[in-house]
Amino acid sequence: MTSPVRPLRKERLRAALAGVTAALLGVGLSEFVAAVVEPGASPFAVIGGQLIDLAPSWAKDAAIALFGTGDKIALIVGIALVLTLVAALAGVVELRRPSLGATILGALGALALVAAMIRPGSGPFAWAPGLVAGTVAVIAVRMLVRRLRPTAGFDPADDDRRRFLVWTAGVAAVGVVALIAGNVARGATRSIEAVRTALRLPAARQPAAEVPAGAELDLPGLAPVVTSNEDFYRIDTALIVPRVDPADWSLRIHGMVEREVRLTWDELIALPLRESHVTLACVSNEVGGSLIGTALWLGYPVRDLLARAGVDADADMVLSTSTDGFTASTPLEALTDDRDALLAIGMNGEPLPIEHGFPARLVVPGLYGYVSATKWVTQLEVTRFDRASAYWTTRGWSERGPVKLQSRIDVPRRGERIDAGDTVIAGMAWQQHVGIEGVEVRIDEGPWRRAELATAISSDTWVQWSLGWTAESGRHTIECRAIGSDGTTQTSEPAAPVPDGAQGWHRLEVTVA
Ligand SMILES: Nc1nc2c(c(=O)[nH]1)N[C@H]1C(S)=C(S)[C@@H](COP(=O)(O)O)O[C@H]1N2
Ligand SMILES: [Mo]
């Protein structure tokens, strides 16, 4: 016989189940409300976004190292797991101390409400999903757990147990249906995709030079010299991709300027556009990593936009801002010298894909993305490095991010088993805006041999290289290093991505059979 007030173990399990079910209902209904009133205010998105913004740079780095570009899915799964645990705990607490468990769930809703309201660019209904989540979860957990309380005459052997389970299953089902309905509703508001598909971009007044015949070696396993939009890496802090309608988009140039400039979409596409192949790289790319790609960008020179505004002689930086609050600090010089720094609207002959910044982003040859390549860009503030700092600068990354001289072995793959005899080693080398003069390869730390360099599209792009190798059986180490067009040889000194980019030689082992 157990005491009438002390819950049984099984009851505690059922209470945990009640807590999780209440949370599921709250999440489901709030995701539905978010999808209808304000997609960006989804509790998952705003709490995830807040975690991303608060995360120290080593955590971001570890997440990318562990999950690659699946880091966002990993974050969502992580939040779901934590929420499940806290909700289970809230259920158990509610059984012992009526209202206390409900308060825990209410507090989670309040957290989502506050996170949604302080998010940059939040709309007038940003509070709604969090309020719905909290209120619904509170009511549901109280209602479900009340049925379990021994003082209420709950008899685990009796029909009450069945009734509890029926109620719980009902609540869970409503939660799941709401979650699915929310996703369907979100899909229906995905009309920006339709706007993008219907969009016809003007042709470039100044087309890019053709890709030279010798630029693409076309070797199996070697990265193509121009990366398709589908294969282009994606890195950003946006859990929900900003959906910006060109009709609502404008770019504001302000700060240390003679006159503010506001440019609408129609004005932008009426300008004489140019096209340029530029390689974009992420500062988080490890030696040998794949957070790098090359595209044909269509856009308007930032230089000419800044000239319209008239830049103050004391300014040395442009702080670009995205609709979602991300900022990048770009040295003014890189935007005003003769390089192809573009306000880009096209990528490989299409409007920018939504996750790559539709309708407009920046692309600046020679700088890592975090200090230059702002997607969904809407503001350029002309300022100074000693007056303003950008998103990643306040999180431990360097305020300036020139791309480091790097090279990578694509063929053979790390750990690959290859047949003895004549084979080929191949890879990529880059230092955008400086250019590559040569690549050297060595086997088993023997003498350096000069690889054959493919024709570079330009100094703003990466270049392929290859080297014939007569492989003898055994295990071998392959290393490569690049030589820049300024005569510098890639350093052997390793460095982690933080604070200003990884360095060192790419080295891998293969087995020759
Ligand atoms: N709005 C916004 N723009 C952004 C970022 C971001 O987080 N938000 N990340 C930058 C970083 S770190 C990189 S490496 C590039 C990546 O561009 P891609 O996703 O088109 O490859 O975008 C840059 N632009
Ligand atoms: Mo990046």
Side-chain angles (χ1 to χ4, degrees):
M1 282 282 116
T2 48
S3 125
V5 284
R6 193 158 180 280
L8 292 166
R9 218 171 83 87
K10 277 196 170 163
E11 282 164 57
R12 285 206 297 272
L13 269 177
R14 288 185 194 115
L17 179 67
V20 173
T21 306
L24 174 63
L25 182 70
V27 165
L29 287 177
S30 70
E31 291 292 328
F32 177 73
V33 170
V36 174
V37 303
E38 197 177 321
S42 131
F44 263 77
V46 295
I47 289 187
Q50 207 62 34
L51 287 176
I52 291 173
D53 288 353
L54 293 175
S57 57
W58 60 260
K60 172 224 179 196
D61 230 47
I64 290 181
L66 269 174
F67 306 111
T69 45
D71 55 345
K72 293 192 175 66
I73 292 168
L75 178 64
I76 289 177
V77 171
I79 296 174
L81 284 177
V82 171
L83 176 64
T84 306
L85 284 177
V86 174
L89 187 80
V92 175
V93 170
E94 179 69 18
L95 184 64
R96 281 281 186 84
R97 301 271 306 272
S99 294
L100 189 61
T103 307
I104 295 176
L105 291 183
L108 289 180
L111 199 71
L113 187 153
V114 172
M117 292 190 69
I118 61 175
R119 186 179 51 93
S122 67
F125 295 107
W127 48 269
L131 183 72
V132 168
T135 313
V136 166
V138 164
I139 295 172
V141 79
R142 297 199 59 174
M143 183 203 85
L144 289 175
V145 172
R146 194 166 42 211
R147 294 172 180 278
L148 289 177
R149 221 163 272 134
T151 47
F154 177 81
D155 182 347
D158 177 271
D159 276 358
D160 290 351
R161 193 191 54 175
R162 256 218 2 250
R163 224 170 293 145
F164 166 80
L165 288 176
V166 167
W167 269 99
T168 305
V171 168
V174 175
V176 169
V177 167
L179 211 58
I180 293 170
N183 268 315
V184 171
R186 205 195 291 287
T189 60
R190 261 185 206 152
S191 53
I192 294 301
E193 188 59 68
V195 171
R196 176 185 175 274
T197 311
L199 201 65
R200 288 286 160 271
L201 294 182
R205 192 78 60 86
Q206 222 176 312
E210 293 275 305
V211 174
E216 180 56 72
L217 299 177
D218 213 2
L219 289 171
L222 178 63
V225 71
V226 178
T227 317
S228 69
N229 291 355
E230 294 67 45
D231 292 339
F232 210 95
Y233 80 97
R234 173 191 166 199
I235 290 287
D236 54 58
T237 61
L239 263 190
I240 289 204
V241 182
R243 299 182 181 276
V244 184
D245 191 331
D248 303 328
W249 177 90
S250 70
L251 180 75
R252 187 173 152 240
I253 305 173
H254 61 109
M256 298 170 70
V257 293
E258 277 163 40
R259 57 205 156 262
E260 260 195 48
V261 168
R262 193 180 276 276
L263 186 76
T264 65
W265 176 257
D266 287 340
E267 287 163 348
L268 172 57
I269 58 172
L271 292 171
L273 304 179
R274 50 185 295 134
E275 247 175 352
S276 175
H277 285 100
V278 175
T279 297
L280 181 61
C282 182
V283 69
S284 297
N285 198 28
E286 302 278 352
V287 172
S290 57
L291 300 178
I292 177 167
T294 301
L296 176 62
W297 306 97
L298 169 74
Y300 188 71
V302 179
R303 181 174 56 240
D304 295 337
L305 289 173
L306 291 174
R308 287 183 171 210
V311 170
D312 193 317
D314 283 342
D316 64 3
M317 186 256 269
V318 171
L319 189 76
S320 51
T321 305
S322 147
T323 51
D324 65 355
F326 172 86
T327 53
S329 54
T330 311
L332 186 60
E333 198 184 79
L335 297 172
T336 50
D337 66 15
D338 62 356
R339 77 185 80 188
D340 274 326
L342 295 178
L343 172 63
I345 60 172
M347 184 173 180
N348 291 327
E350 294 174 20
L352 290 177
I354 292 175
E355 60 278 15
H356 292 291
F358 182 78
R361 73 173 305 169
L362 295 178
V363 177
V364 184
L367 304 180
Y368 287 121
Y370 83 109
V371 290
S372 66
T374 304
K375 305 191 268 190
W376 316 288
V377 65
T378 51
Q379 281 187 60
L380 302 182
E381 183 192 353
V382 180
T383 178
R384 296 179 50 85
F385 276 102
D386 58 16
R387 282 192 201 166
S389 34
Y391 187 92
W392 286 113
T393 312
T394 57
R395 290 164 174 82
W397 295 78
S398 168
E399 67 178 9
R400 287 163 203 258
V403 168
K404 292 184 178 177
L405 176 61
Q406 265 296 339
S407 55
R408 177 180 93 187
I409 303 158
D410 284 4
V411 184
R413 294 265 154 226
R414 175 180 302 278
E416 194 175 320
R417 299 183 146 268
I418 50 180
D419 294 336
D422 286 342
T423 180
V424 69
I425 301 170
M428 314 298 290
W430 62 90
Q431 187 175 29
Q432 295 91 297
H433 205 56
V434 173
I436 296 298
E437 188 197 283
V439 170
E440 293 177 331
V441 177
R442 66 174 184 179
I443 313 285
D444 301 329
E445 302 190 3
W448 287 100
R449 288 172 57 199
R450 196 85 171 184
E452 210 167 304
L453 211 56
T455 314
I457 300 178
S458 78
S459 66
D460 291 340
T461 62
W462 60 5
V463 58
Q464 298 180 337
W465 57 264
S466 72
L467 180 70
W469 176 38
T470 308
E472 286 168 19
S473 32
R475 282 167 77 82
H476 299 286
T477 309
I478 311 173
E479 289 167 291
C480 71
R481 67 179 186 192
I483 296 135
S485 297
D486 60 0
T488 315
T489 300
Q490 183 183 332
T491 179
S492 63
E493 193 70 44
V498 189
D500 60 359
Q503 62 181 44
W505 293 336
H506 191 206
R507 172 190 171 106
L508 51 83
E509 280 201 356
V510 290
T511 305
V512 180

